């Protein structure tokens, strides 16, 4: 799954920010991928918290 996220991020960033240098593109991919993974983790934690019957703190 991680490879899929990174490849998708690379494709998106290259298409959207094609005028940037390769170094900037690589940094954007890392940032985008990290943010996406954090978002998925927050969503998963929220779902698990609801399933356990606890209040959602988000």
């Amino acid at each position: 799954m991680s490879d899929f996220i990174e490849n998708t991020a690379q494709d998106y960033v290259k298409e959207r920010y094609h005028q940037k240098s390769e170094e900037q593109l690589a940094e954007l991919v890392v940032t985008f991928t990290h943010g996406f993974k954090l978002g998925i983790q927050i969503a998963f934690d929220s779902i698990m918290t609801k399933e356990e019957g606890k209040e959602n703190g988000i």
Side-chain angles (χ1 to χ4, degrees):
M1 176 92 174
S2 186
D3 288 340
F4 172 76
I5 293 168
E6 189 168 330
N7 290 338
T8 302
Q10 285 176 346
D11 292 345
Y12 173 79
V13 167
K14 284 182 180 180
E15 182 178 313
R16 177 104 169 127
Y17 302 102
H18 54 82
Q19 72 278 9
K20 302 286 185 188
S21 71
E22 285 298 317
E23 184 177 311
Q24 290 171 317
L25 288 174
E27 189 174 330
L28 284 168
V29 167
V30 169
T31 302
F32 182 90
T33 303
H34 181 70
F36 183 81
K37 288 177 181 178
L38 284 175
I40 293 295
Q41 185 63 48
I42 289 169
F44 180 77
D45 289 348
S46 177
I47 291 167
M48 293 306 295
T49 300
K50 281 185 177 181
E51 287 179 1
E52 292 172 359
K54 299 177 184 173
E55 283 296 314
N56 187 356
I58 300 174

